[in-house]
Structure formats: C-alpha cells, structure tokens
Amino acid sequence: AIHGCAVRFPDVAESVVHTLMDFLSSDGGMQVIIFVRAIVERYPDLRPAILSKLINTVDEVTNNNVMCICVWILGEYCETTDTVKDAFDVVTEQLGEAPFIVQADEKKAQEQAAVEAAKGPKMVTKNIVLSDGTYATQTVYSEPKITAVLDNSPQLRKMIIGGDIFLGTIISSCLTKMCLRAPDVGVDAVASKSMTVKALLVMCGIVKMAEVTVSAQKSSLADCSERVALCCRALLDPKATALLKETLLTEGKMSFATFLKNVQEKDSGDTKEESKEEIVTAQPDDLIHFRQLRSLTAQGGDLDLDDGSDLARATGYADGGSLLSNELSHVYQLSGFADPVYAEAFVTVHDYDILLEILVINRTPNTLANLTVELSTMGDMKIVERPQSQTIGPLDQITIRASIKVSSTETGHIFGTIVYEDASTQEKGYINLNDIHMDIMDYIRPATCTDEVFRSMWAEFEWENKVAISTSIADLIAFLDHIVTSTNMSCLTPHDRNEKGSFLAANLYAKSVFGEDALVNVSVEKKDDNDGKLAGYIRIRSKTQGIALSLGDRITSVQRGLQPNKKQ
C-alpha cells in the first residue's frame, strides 16, 4: 500500500523512502529494497538522498538477497564523484582484504566450539553424609564452558565467506561499473587506478572463494568465473573497455526501466478491467422461473422461450460457437463399420462428471437381446451410472447413457466391451471397443498469481516432471506461444516480442477445476552449434503426481506432433 501511494504521489515519496529504509535489516527488508529500487529509477531527483542513505545503512543489512539488490543499486545509480567514491569505499571496506575463505585457525576454533557444545552437560553422582548423620545421594550437573568465538567481521564479508557466489558476482559487476564510470565523473587518474587495482584483487578473491568453498551455489561456479573474467577484461584491456563500457553502464538501467514500464502497464490494465461497470442482467425484483418446478398443466400449454439457453448453459455450449462442430469434436468411434454392432460415443465433460451418450446400431437382420455395454476406467475415475441391458431389433439403433465421476486432474482412459445374444441363433457375441482417451486439457484453466506465490509453491510442491525440448520450431517466442496455447496455461513472465536473443525463460501457471495448481518453467536456448535448433528443458511441478505426469505427456505429444504441421 505504501509503495502504491509513493508511486502515485511523488511529493511524499522522499519521506516515505527514508522512513522505510530504517527497516532494511528487518524481516520485511526484501519488500523495502524492491520499493527503493523502483523509486530510484522512477524519480532521478531523489537519487542523491536515497544513495547517501543506502551507503550509510549497507553495513546493517543481514539478508543476502537484500544485500544483492543494495549492491546492484550502488553500481547502477552512483553517477557523481562523491557517490562513486563513497560507495566504492563502503563496499571494499565491508568486504575487507582477500582471501575470502575461512582461515585454518578460525576453522579449528569454530569446530572446537561446536564439539564442546555437542558434548552437553555431564552428570556426576556421589554419596554424602548429611548433618544428622544419614546418607544421601547427590547428583551434580556440570556444563562445559563454551568458548565464544567472536566474529566482528562485517556482514558483507560474512556472506562472501559463507559461499554466496551469486552475491560475489554482483559485487564484481558493481565494482567494475564504478571503476569504468570514475574517469567520466571527475575522479582523478591516480584514484581511478587505485580503485581498479582494488577491484581486481577483490574479483580474484571472489573467484578463489567460489572454487574452494563448498556451498549450495557450487553449480554457479562456471557462470561466476565467466562473468568475473569479463569484468577483468573490461578493466584491463582498452579494446574490451571500448566495446563493453556502454553496455555495462547503460543496458542494465534500460532493461530495468522497461520492466517497470511493463509492470505499470499490467497494473493499469488490471485496474481498468476492475473499474469497468458491470452490465446488469437482472433487476432485484425480477421473477426467477424454475422449469423443473412448473406443474404439468402449465408445461402443456406454456412455451418457455429460455429453455434453449438453459440447455446450452447446462451442456457447456453457451459460448462455444457452432454447436454441431463442438459435438463432432467430442465424438469417438468405438467399433468398426464391419462389426455386427456399430457404436460411437458422444462425450460431454462437466468439470467433475463425464456423460457418455453411446449410439448403438444393430447392423444384422436379427434381433439382439440382452445387449450390454460393459465399461471400465483407468485413472481416478469411477462409473456412477452403468448402462442397462437393451433389446435391439433388426437394423435398429438405440442411445445408451452412462455417467462417470472424476475426482482429480489426470489423464484417464475409458474402455469396454459390448456383449449381446442373437435371438434367432442363441449365440453370444463380444465386441471389444476402442479406448476413449480423456484429455487433461478438459480440466485445466488459465490462472494468474504473483511471483512470490509462484516461488513459494515451486519450493513446496514435491512432484516434478522434467521434459527435454525437441521441436522443429526455430523461434523462441513462437515456441513459448505454442506451449502456452497447447497447455491452456497463462504466462506470468513479461517479455518483449521485438527483442531478439538466444535464451528464454518463462513461468506458466494454471489451475484445475478441482483447485489443484500446475506450475511450469520453460528454459529454452537457441544453440548455434546445434544447427540453430532449440534445446532446453520444461519442468512441471504440482502437489499431485497425476497432474505432473499428464502435463508432461501432453507437452511431449505436442512437440512430437509439431513437425508435420510445420511442413504444411
């Protein structure tokens, strides 16, 4: 709420920012620093005061993610002589001297303290003589003296020594930007050279830390080394400096400004949709007609003009366009044309229920008695209403109905057999029916959520399905659009369609009619060494196994079926 007020009323933004920045070290520090980052970009007049406040409060930040954004802001927006010098001095002072690894004596002291703490209290039992001459048992608990290991290192140094490779990469980029910007803002050549030397020493120490330290971010070692090597070349090689300086100093702010613009447009679009006046379809005093509650006499002479729309809404075709085309797309042939009994099924899906209308045609000149359609299901489906036995005359037909209950979102199969008895020859016949494949797309609905909720669910959900990308589509945006359309999901990641790149990552989200969440992450790369084909992975996560496997099968089948369509 404060963020929204500050964006709408710039006059109070400065006082709000200074007040909120006192809470950078609290539990809500992440929301505060994201708000500060947006204000710094949107209001250039407030930058000097905000940067001065941020430089003075960096040493109080205790959260690694908050520290990453603080360092990024200092690297991007320090554009005066004083702010560049102060920010560089603060960052290097908080980091200290290399190496950024735990020394042997410090590590030994920490291990010794941990061993002593793990021993726990000792219990000593002995017999004593009391003052009245009787004996008693005395139990004494003695706790070992724990030697406190005092660590007065700044928070930034603790984070780097703790193995935060990602933070180390951001620090390298920040120091490089300050060194490249220093000559342009009036820093003398000697001071600029000194800043460059310090930055190079810090970057070498960060790479050494990434190689030696065992942490959860060990997989980022290659990216860290590549990024730091690029920063070192930008500082040491004049040709590299000429090529990279403009990109390093301007592209980051431009990309962030574009991101803020997209977010603002999205928020304004949502606000406009919410502010639209609702169309009144019924007045408070209008009568409500229930066709099922009318008497038979009233039904005989009264024609309800709304019966057609009621049936359309009940069968799900209210907005389906042509009723005939929708019906034909849900018709499944169950037996062959040469079989004595021809059968086809019209399937209607109503969220939790599946209704089968099976047309059975007797193609023989004899009467078929006790004809039964025996159905079975695979998956989380249960037959509620089984078809009854029927008698069909020669070359006659009949429609048999069956109802199936669905309780979860997963791909299911309906299969069965037709059993009948020839009335003239008394012979029994059996016809195996084709399977009816129930698609998971009938239960998936597009939905939206915030990035924080998506990340929370992604960390919480335990079922994951990883699908390798194999497609003939050569364009990244076209591939993403195809996946979004084929899976009936919504894309949560904003992206510029005019921007050309070799890598794309996006988050997709959908919700089933049963309230289950489906999360998809698309990471695709266009590799030149692979004849320009797309490569990467699509990861699906959900709380249940069925939706993860079914969505994975859907994506795999869509990819394999893409190539012939592409040729057409």
Side-chain angles (χ1 to χ4, degrees):
I2 296 177
H3 187 177
C5 292
V7 171
R8 289 187 180 185
F9 307 102
D11 297 337
V12 300
E14 184 175 2
S15 59
V16 170
V17 169
H18 285 285
T19 303
L20 288 178
M21 288 181 70
D22 295 332
F23 299 94
L24 281 177
S25 58
S26 63
D27 294 337
M30 193 64 188
Q31 286 76 17
V32 172
I33 196 62
I34 290 175
F35 166 65
V36 171
R37 183 181 62 179
I39 293 297
V40 168
E41 171 59 34
R42 284 176 174 165
Y43 304 112
D45 297 339
L46 303 180
R47 288 178 188 174
I50 295 176
L51 291 174
S52 177
K53 177 75 172 178
L54 186 61
I55 291 172
N56 295 328
T57 56
V58 161
D59 58 337
E60 301 175 3
V61 178
T62 57
N63 185 281
N64 291 35
N65 294 328
V66 175
M67 182 65 79
C68 288
I69 301 179
C70 289
V71 173
W72 183 85
I73 293 175
L74 294 178
E76 288 290 342
Y77 297 100
C78 288
E79 297 175 337
T80 64
T81 305
D82 295 335
T83 54
V84 168
K85 283 185 175 181
D86 293 343
F88 188 89
D89 292 341
V90 166
V91 173
T92 53
E93 181 183 348
Q94 293 292 315
L95 277 173
E97 298 291 337
F100 304 115
I101 55 178
V102 181
Q103 301 297 328
D105 52 349
E106 296 179 2
K107 188 175 182 180
K108 186 175 180 180
Q110 293 176 0
E111 292 176 353
Q112 184 66 25
V115 169
E116 292 179 358
K119 288 182 180 179
K122 290 184 179 179
M123 184 177 65
V124 178
T125 304
K126 60 181 179 179
N127 296 326
I128 60 173
V129 180
L130 301 178
S131 57
D132 58 355
T134 59
Y135 291 94
T137 302
Q138 185 182 51
T139 303
V140 180
Y141 289 90
S142 61
E143 293 186 0
K145 184 179 180 182
I146 300 176
T147 305
V149 180
L150 298 178
D151 188 3
N152 297 324
S153 303
Q155 291 292 338
L156 185 57
R157 183 176 179 85
K158 289 180 183 178
M159 295 174 187
I160 295 297
I161 293 178
D164 196 335
I165 300 176
F166 185 61
L167 176 59
T169 307
I170 295 177
I171 291 174
S172 302
S173 179
C174 169
L175 297 179
T176 302
K177 294 173 184 176
M178 292 182 185
C179 293
L180 293 175
R181 192 178 286 120
D184 299 337
V185 298
V187 179
D188 58 273
V190 176
S192 179
K193 198 71 174 179
S194 175
M195 291 171 59
T196 302
V197 172
K198 286 184 180 179
L200 291 171
L201 290 174
V202 167
M203 287 188 277
C204 293
I206 288 174
V207 173
K208 184 65 176 178
M209 176 274 299
E211 293 176 350
V212 174
T213 307
V214 178
S215 67
Q217 299 181 8
K218 191 67 175 178
S219 59
S220 303
L221 173 60
D223 294 336
C224 175
S225 302
E226 184 178 350
R227 180 69 171 174
V228 172
L230 179 68
C231 293
C232 292
R233 288 193 62 187
L235 294 178
L236 294 175
D237 188 357
K239 293 182 179 180
T241 304
L243 291 173
L244 298 174
K245 183 176 180 179
E246 187 68 21
T247 302
L248 291 175
L249 297 184
T250 60
E251 289 295 331
K253 285 186 286 188
M254 291 174 58
S255 299
F256 182 59
T258 305
F259 169 76
L260 288 180
K261 183 180 178 182
N262 293 335
V263 172
Q264 189 173 4
E265 290 176 354
K266 183 179 179 182
D267 293 341
S268 62
D270 295 342
T271 306
K272 288 180 181 178
E273 290 180 1
E274 293 176 359
S275 62
K276 286 182 180 178
E277 295 184 1
E278 296 182 356
I279 301 174
V280 178
T281 57
Q283 296 296 333
D285 297 332
D286 288 350
L287 295 177
I288 301 176
H289 297 282
F290 295 95
R291 185 178 67 255
Q292 293 82 356
L293 300 180
R294 287 182 300 180
S295 63
L296 294 177
T297 57
Q299 289 184 10
D302 186 17
L303 176 63
D304 192 347
L305 299 177
D306 201 42
D307 284 355
S309 61
D310 287 348
L311 291 174
R313 286 195 294 270
T315 53
Y317 292 116
D319 300 317
S322 173
L323 184 63
L324 179 60
S325 62
N326 280 310
E327 286 185 352
L328 292 177
S329 64
H330 290 81
V331 173
Y332 297 86
Q333 182 178 343
L334 301 181
S335 63
F337 293 111
D339 290 327
V341 177
Y342 174 77
E344 65 180 23
F346 171 56
V347 181
T348 306
V349 179
H350 297 302
D351 294 346
Y352 298 93
D353 300 302
I354 298 175
L355 178 64
L356 298 181
E357 297 182 11
I358 305 173
L359 173 64
V360 179
I361 302 176
N362 180 9
R363 298 173 60 86
T364 65
N366 302 326
T367 300
L368 302 181
N370 297 326
L371 186 143
T372 306
V373 180
E374 298 179 353
L375 298 176
S376 300
T377 59
M378 260 180 67
D380 209 349
M381 297 187 296
K382 181 181 179 182
I383 299 177
V384 178
E385 180 185 352
R386 292 186 177 274
Q388 301 296 321
S389 299
Q390 304 288 339
T391 299
I392 306 179
L395 304 177
D396 197 3
Q397 67 182 34
I398 192 173
T399 301
I400 301 174
R401 289 176 174 83
S403 180
I404 298 175
K405 189 77 172 177
V406 183
S407 56
S408 70
T409 308
E410 64 178 72
T411 301
H413 297 270
I414 304 173
F415 56 95
T417 308
I418 292 180
V419 182
Y420 61 90
E421 182 178 339
D422 195 321
S424 59
T425 62
Q426 301 298 321
E427 292 182 356
K428 282 191 174 183
Y430 302 90
I431 299 175
N432 293 323
L433 303 179
N434 292 330
D435 294 353
I436 299 177
H437 178 79
M438 298 309 302
D439 197 354
I440 188 177
M441 293 300 102
D442 293 329
Y443 312 109
I444 294 294
R445 303 289 183 270
T448 57
C449 68
T450 61
D451 293 339
E452 290 78 10
V453 174
F454 186 91
R455 285 194 293 267
S456 175
M457 290 190 293
W458 186 269
E460 177 187 352
F461 292 170
E462 57 182 0
W463 290 104
E464 176 173 322
N465 191 4
K466 191 174 182 181
V467 179
I469 294 175
S470 175
T471 178
S472 59
I473 295 181
D475 184 67
L476 295 173
I477 300 297
F479 177 76
L480 177 63
D481 292 341
H482 177 72
I483 294 297
V484 170
T485 305
S486 303
T487 58
N488 201 22
M489 306 186 79
S490 60
C491 182
L492 304 180
T493 306
H495 52 271
D496 188 1
R497 294 182 171 273
N498 299 323
E499 186 175 350
K500 300 297 181 180
S502 61
F503 181 83
L504 186 145
N507 294 329
L508 312 181
Y509 178 65
K511 213 174 182 66
S512 71
V513 296
F514 308 102
E516 300 169 322
D517 300 295
L519 312 178
V520 174
N521 174 260
V522 181
S523 297
V524 57
E525 182 181 6
K526 189 172 185 177
K527 293 188 175 182
D528 296 333
D529 57 351
N530 194 23
D531 297 332
K533 294 182 179 179
L534 302 184
Y537 292 95
I538 298 176
R539 299 167 64 191
I540 306 123
R541 284 197 182 184
S542 65
K543 189 173 288 186
T544 58
Q545 182 184 17
I547 193 170
L549 295 177
S550 300
L551 261 181
D553 295 340
R554 169 70 177 176
I555 292 174
T556 303
S557 64
V558 164
Q559 291 190 105
R560 292 176 178 175
L562 224 164
Q563 199 165 6
N565 295 336
K566 195 73 179 175
K567 290 180 180 178
Q568 293 176 0

